[in-house]
Amino acid sequence: MMKRMFNGGCLSELFLHYFLPSFNLFLIAGITLTTAKLRLSEGLSLCWCYVIPFQLVLNWVQFYRHRSLVSTSTDSFPGLNYKQKEYPYREEITVFINLQPQRYKECIHCSLYVPLRSHHCPYCDKCIYILDHHCFFLGFCVGRENMKHFILFCIYAALGTGYGLYHIMEVMTYYRSFSGQESLFYFFPFTLVMYMLDRATGFETFYVFLLDFGLGAFCICVFLASMGLFSTFSGCTPYEDRKKMQVSDTDKLMQNFRDVFGNYGLLYFLCPVLPFKGPHILPGYRVE
């Protein structure tokens, strides 16, 4: 994995595939537990402190379970066996599978004929069906099958961080003014130095850490959720847009939404685990 890009760099692989998802998990847990502690000390309900983490965990699990990988068929490819080495993919091939016309191309990295809208991810070293992007914070690619869980994860993560930051900020203002020279204590590197000089408390340093990184996470989640919804309704991924690829039905907004979320897609906003079949992904075929 990733050898083609980093020439076997273990540190890069550990950082991208393990450290970033672990940091994401630590940040979510820190904000959740701190918010629950603050609300509990004030005698307030912990309802949202249970609901939001529950949604995040389920969507993260479903994100991994439905990874949009192009599987490998044991059947022979019903098309011409021709390889073009100059490019990762050869030109489009239209073949008939079960009497239905399907468009394929060849991936020289996987030695597979794959559905036309598939793309080879250099980080995962796999072909992903309708690849949107590789998400380092969740540790895998966002494709057609797990796009809905990625969007829902970002939405609930934005709601959760915003909810938690409000409570943490409310407590911090009791100890430090947000105006004047004390506003520097809301900047984590400054607070960390003050802590080492014994001029800031441990809990204050931890709260500022959650505030700074939580605010960054909130902005990123809002941006990614917005981009994900835009890709869903437009029917075109950022990669396809950059490559000027022609995809069908890009003007049918609700049909594009159903292609990603299904006919009962709004129910996924309440429960990510539903007994409905996801998008059908055509298999890849070995190059003989």
Side-chain angles (χ1 to χ4, degrees), residues 66-71 104 115 118 127-130 143-146 278-284:
H66 305 283
R67 293 186 288 177
S68 306
L69 294 172
V70 177
S71 61
Y104 273 75
S118 303
C127 271
I128 309 297
Y129 184 59
I130 311 186
R144 170 49 56 89
E145 195 171 3
N146 60 7
H280 176 63
I281 300 177
L282 292 169

Side-chain angles (χ1 to χ4, degrees), residues 101-166:
Q102 305 292 348
R103 297 186 297 171
Y104 273 75
K105 61 186 177 183
E106 180 187 350
C107 174
I108 64 171
H109 299 304
C110 298
S111 295
L112 289 175
Y113 292 107
V114 295
L116 183 65
R117 295 185 68 185
S118 303
H119 178 62
H120 187 88
C121 174
Y123 304 105
C124 301
D125 199 23
K126 302 284 185 182
C127 271
I128 309 297
Y129 184 59
I130 311 186
L131 173 68
D132 191 86
H133 68 282
H134 183 93
C135 181
F136 295 108
F137 285 98
L138 294 185
F140 205 77
C141 285
V142 181
R144 170 49 56 89
E145 195 171 3
N146 60 7
M147 170 65 91
K148 57 181 173 288
H149 299 296
F150 170 77
I151 293 173
L152 292 173
F153 181 91
C154 290
I155 290 174
Y156 279 107
L159 290 174
T161 51
Y163 184 71
L165 293 179
Y166 169 78

Side-chain angles (χ1 to χ4, degrees), residues 1 8 33 53 66-67 70 85 88 91 99-100 106 141 154 172 212 232 240 254 284:
M1 185 185 296
L33 293 175
H66 305 283
R67 293 186 288 177
V70 177
K85 290 291 188 181
E91 294 180 357
L99 303 180
Q100 296 295 323
E106 180 187 350
C141 285
C154 290
M172 279 294 298
D212 288 6
T232 297
E240 293 171 335
M254 294 313 299

